[in-house]
C-alpha cells in the first residue's frame, strides 16, 4: 500500500463526525432551543453550503485536495469547541457556520483524493465502502458510551469528538498534496479567470449530461429525506419514553447497520442502478409512515435510512466519477450545492410542523414530499429512456 493511501485511510477512519449525533438534539433542547430553531440551524448551514460549495470545490481543484481536507477537519473541531463552551442560539449559528465550512471543504476533496490515488479505479466503491464501514464501527463503539457520558457531563461527548478529530488531523497533515490541475497560475487575474472557467465547465457538464443530471437530482432528494427523517429520531425516542442514557446504545446499533451495509455496498453494483435507487427512495418514503405505527415492533424501521447511508454514497460517487474526467471537486461541489436547495426550502417547515402540530404531522409531511419527488424522478428517468430510444432509431 502506498503511503498516501495508508494516511488517507487512517485520516478517514478517525474523522468521526457523527459522535455527537445521538445527543445533539437533546443537548440543543436542554439549552432552550425549539424544534423549529434546530431545523432553522440546519437550513442556515444548507444556505451557507450553497454559497460556499462551488468556490471551495474550485479551490480544491486549483490548489490541491490536502489543503481542503485539513481546513475541513479544523473547522469541525472549532464547531465542537464553540458549541461546548457557550451554547447560546447565536453560538449555535456560529457552530453551523463552521459545520458548513467543514462540509464544503471536504465535499469533493475526499472523493477525488481517494479516486486519484487508487491504482484500480473500479475498486473505488469497495475501498470507500470499507472505510465507511470501519468508521461506522468506531462511531458505533464510541456511541455506546455517548448517552452515559452525556448523563455524567453534557460536555464529555464533545470532548471525545474533538480528541478523535485531532488524531485525524495529524494523519491528514502527512498526506501529499495532490491535484489534477497542473497549469501554473502567476497572477490574480489568471486565477480569477481559471476559477470562473472551472465553474462554467462544471455547470455546463452537469446540465449537458442526462445521467449526471439525474444522479444529482436524486442526491438532492435523498439528502433532504435522510436529514429530515434522522433529525426526528431523538424526539421520536423521547415520545416513546426511552431514557437519554440509552440513546448511545441505539445509535451504536444503527451505526453497525450502516457499517455492514457499507462493507457490502460494492456488491449492489451488479443490480440495475436506476431500479436500485428508486427502491431506496420507496423505502425512505415508507419509513416515516411506519414510525407512526404504535406497535413497538415498527421501531426497527429506523434502521432503513442507516442501511441506505451505508450503500448509497460509495456507489453513487463511483457512478458520478465515471461521468466526469476533470474538475472533479468542482462538480462534486455543484452536486452538494444543488442537494442543499430542498433542505433550505423544506426543513424549516418540518420544524414548524413539529412545534405547532406535533411529530406525527411532520412525519406525514416528509412522506408526502418524498413520494412526490420519487414520482418526478421516475418520470424523468422513463422520459429519458424514451428519448434515448428515439435518438437511437
Amino acid at each position: 500500500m502506498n503511503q498516501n493511501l495508508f494516511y488517507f485511510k487512517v485520516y478517514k477512519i478517525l474523522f468521526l463526525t457523527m459522535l455527537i449525533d445521538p445527543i445533539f438534539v437533546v443537548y440543543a433542547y436542554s439549552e432552550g432551543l425549539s424544534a423549529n430553531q434546530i431545523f432553522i440551524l440546519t437550513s442556515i448551514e444548507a444556505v451557507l453550503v450553497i454559497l460556499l460549495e462551488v468556490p471551495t470545490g474550485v479551490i480544491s481543484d486549483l490548489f490541491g485536495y490536502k489543503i481542503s481536507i485539513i481546513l475541513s477537519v479544523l473547522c469541525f473541531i472549532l464547531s465542537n469547541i464553540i458549541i461546548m463552551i457557550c451554547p447560546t442560539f447565536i453560538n449555535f449559528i456560529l457552530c453551523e457556520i463552521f459545520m458548513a465550512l467543514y462540509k464544503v471543504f471536504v465535499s469533493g476533496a475526499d472523493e477525488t483524493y481517494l479516486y486519484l490515488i487508487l491504482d484500480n479505479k473500479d475498486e473505488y466503491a469497495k475501498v470507500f465502502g470499507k472505510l465507511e464501514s470501519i468508521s461506522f464501527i468506531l462511531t458505533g463503539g464510541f456511541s455506546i458510551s455517548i448517552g452515559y457520558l452525556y448523563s455524567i457531563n453534557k460536555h464529555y461527548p464533545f470532548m471525545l469528538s474533538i480528541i478523535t478529530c485531532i488524531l485525524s488531523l495529524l494523519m491528514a497533515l502527512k498526506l501529499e498534496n495532490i491535484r489534477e490541475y497542473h497549469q501554473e497560475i502567476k497572477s490574480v487575474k489568471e486565477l480569477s479567470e481559471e476559477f470562473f472557467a472551472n465553474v462554467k465547465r462544471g455547470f455546463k457538464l452537469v446540465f449537458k449530461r442526462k445521467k449526471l443530471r439525474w444522479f444529482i437530482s436524486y442526491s438532492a432528494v435523498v439528502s433532504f429525506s435522510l436529514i429530515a427523517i434522522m433529525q426526528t429520531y431523538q424526539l421520536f425516542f423521547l415520545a416513546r419514553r426511552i431514557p437519554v442514557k440509552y440513546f448511545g446504545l441505539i445509535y451504536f446499533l444503527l451505526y453497525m447497520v450502516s457499517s455492514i451495509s457499507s462493507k457490502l455496498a460494492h456488491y449492489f453494483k451488479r443490480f440495475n442502478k436506476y431500479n436500485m435507487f428508486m427502491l431506496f427512495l420507496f423505502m425512505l418514503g415508507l419509513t416515516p409512515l411506519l414510525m407512526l405505527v404504535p406497535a413497538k415492533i415498527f421501531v426497527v424501521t429506523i434502521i432503513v435510512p442507516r442501511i441506505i447511508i451505508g450503500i448509497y454514497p460509495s456507489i453513487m460517487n463511483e457512478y458520478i466519477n465515471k461521468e466526469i474526467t476533470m474538475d472533479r471537486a468542482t462538480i462534486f461541489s455543484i452536486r452538494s450545492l444543488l442537494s442543499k436547495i430542498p433542505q433550505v426550502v423544506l426543513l424549516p417547515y418540518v420544524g414548524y410542523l413539529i412545534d405547532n402540530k406535533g411529530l406525527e404531522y411532520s412525519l406525514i409531511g416528509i412522506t408526502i414530499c418524498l413520494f412526490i419527488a420519487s414520482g418526478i424522478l421516475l418520470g424523468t428517468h422513463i422520459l429519458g429512456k424514451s428519448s434515448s430510444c428515439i435518438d437511437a432509431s
Side-chain angles (χ1 to χ4, degrees):
M1 182 192 302
N2 64 64
Q3 271 196 328
N4 271 334
L5 185 55
F6 172 78
Y7 290 134
F8 180 85
K9 284 183 175 181
V10 179
Y11 139 75
K12 186 71 176 172
I13 289 167
L14 291 175
F15 194 20
L16 304 176
T17 58
M18 297 178 288
L19 281 184
I20 62 171
D21 285 4
I23 51 86
F24 179 81
V25 174
V26 176
Y27 179 74
Y29 258 56
S30 73
E31 297 299 335
L33 273 68
S34 66
N36 194 31
Q37 285 177 317
I38 292 169
F39 278 92
I40 286 173
L41 287 173
T42 307
S43 294
I44 290 172
E45 179 192 302
V47 169
L48 290 169
V49 169
I50 288 172
L51 295 174
L52 300 171
E53 185 67 77
V54 175
T56 52
V58 175
I59 288 168
S60 293
D61 280 327
L62 294 178
F63 296 107
Y65 308 111
K66 172 184 175 177
I67 293 171
S68 290
I69 287 170
I70 290 171
L71 288 172
S72 173
V73 182
L74 285 171
C75 289
F76 186 80
I77 292 170
L78 279 172
S79 70
N80 276 260
I81 292 172
I82 290 166
I83 203 173
M84 179 178 69
I85 292 175
C86 189
T88 63
F89 182 59
I90 297 299
N91 281 333
F92 267 96
I93 293 175
L94 187 58
C95 167
E96 291 301 325
I97 292 172
F98 280 105
M99 287 292 282
L101 286 169
Y102 127 66
K103 289 181 178 180
V104 294
F105 277 122
V106 81
S107 173
D110 258 8
E111 295 93 334
T112 303
Y113 196 95
L114 177 59
Y115 191 79
L116 291 177
I117 62 177
L118 284 176
D119 295 324
N120 183 358
K121 308 305 183 190
D122 288 331
E123 291 285 304
Y124 177 89
K126 184 176 182 179
V127 174
F128 188 91
K130 188 175 180 180
L131 289 176
E132 290 283 282
S133 176
I134 296 170
S135 182
F136 280 128
I137 289 173
L138 281 177
T139 301
F142 281 123
S143 292
I144 294 176
S145 64
I146 291 295
Y148 290 97
L149 287 174
Y150 181 83
S151 300
I152 298 168
N153 186 314
K154 62 173 68 176
H155 295 149
Y156 285 172
F158 297 96
M159 293 170 67
L160 179 60
S161 177
I162 291 166
I163 290 168
T164 60
C165 288
I166 289 173
L167 294 174
S168 175
L169 178 62
L170 294 176
M171 291 297 104
L173 289 168
K174 293 178 178 290
L175 293 171
E176 178 188 349
N177 193 26
I178 295 175
R179 56 179 181 162
E180 280 188 297
Y181 186 89
H182 297 293
Q183 180 181 332
E184 286 296 324
I185 298 173
K186 298 179 181 179
S187 68
V188 174
K189 183 181 177 182
E190 287 177 329
L191 176 61
S192 61
E193 286 175 352
E194 190 56 39
F195 178 91
F196 288 111
N198 273 40
V199 174
K200 185 178 178 180
R201 279 197 306 269
F203 274 102
K204 186 176 180 181
L205 183 65
V206 167
F207 289 105
K208 183 180 179 182
R209 296 196 177 181
K210 290 180 181 178
K211 279 187 182 179
L212 194 55
R213 194 166 64 239
W214 194 91
F215 290 153
I216 289 174
S217 300
Y218 180 89
S219 297
V221 176
V222 170
S223 296
F224 161 73
S225 60
L226 288 172
I227 290 174
I229 293 169
M230 292 192 297
Q231 285 250 86
T232 66
Y233 278 5
Q234 289 164 50
L235 301 178
F236 175 71
F237 297 155
L238 291 173
R240 293 293 180 108
R241 302 183 184 278
I242 299 172
V244 175
K245 65 181 181 180
Y246 296 128
F247 283 16
L249 179 60
I250 294 170
Y251 273 80
F252 162 74
L253 297 173
L254 293 175
Y255 291 139
M256 290 303 98
V257 169
S258 294
S259 173
I260 295 168
S261 302
S262 297
K263 196 167 184 178
L264 300 175
H266 64 283
Y267 290 111
F268 285 81
K269 290 196 297 180
R270 68 185 68 179
F271 301 115
N272 179 285
K273 53 182 173 287
Y274 292 105
N275 292 343
M276 176 182 62
F277 287 146
M278 291 309 301
L279 176 62
F280 287 166
L281 270 188
F282 178 73
M283 291 167 65
L284 279 173
L286 284 180
T287 300
L289 285 181
L290 294 175
M291 287 170 67
L292 292 170
V293 180
K296 291 184 178 180
I297 187 64
F298 285 102
V299 172
V300 300
T301 57
I302 63 172
I303 70 171
V304 170
R306 299 307 318 187
I307 292 171
I308 293 168
I309 282 177
I311 298 169
Y312 151 77
S314 55
I315 297 178
M316 180 61 81
N317 289 344
E318 183 172 312
Y319 286 143
I320 291 175
N321 261 307
K322 288 181 177 179
E323 290 294 315
I324 53 183
T325 56
M326 63 184 300
D327 302 326
R328 293 179 191 278
T330 301
I331 291 169
F332 272 103
S333 293
I334 291 171
R335 170 209 182 189
S336 183
L337 179 156
L338 297 174
S339 295
K340 294 296 182 292
I341 293 174
Q343 297 174 32
V344 173
V345 176
L346 297 173
L347 285 179
Y349 183 64
V350 175
Y352 169 82
L353 285 176
I354 292 173
D355 282 337
N356 294 278
K357 299 291 184 179
L359 182 61
E360 295 81 5
Y361 280 88
S362 71
L363 293 173
I364 293 169
I366 293 168
T367 300
I368 292 170
C369 290
L370 267 175
F371 281 118
I372 291 172
S374 298
I376 294 170
L377 282 170
L378 182 60
T380 304
H381 172 55
I382 292 170
L383 288 173
K385 285 179 66 177
S386 299
S387 63
S388 297
C389 292
I390 293 169
D391 293 339
S393 62

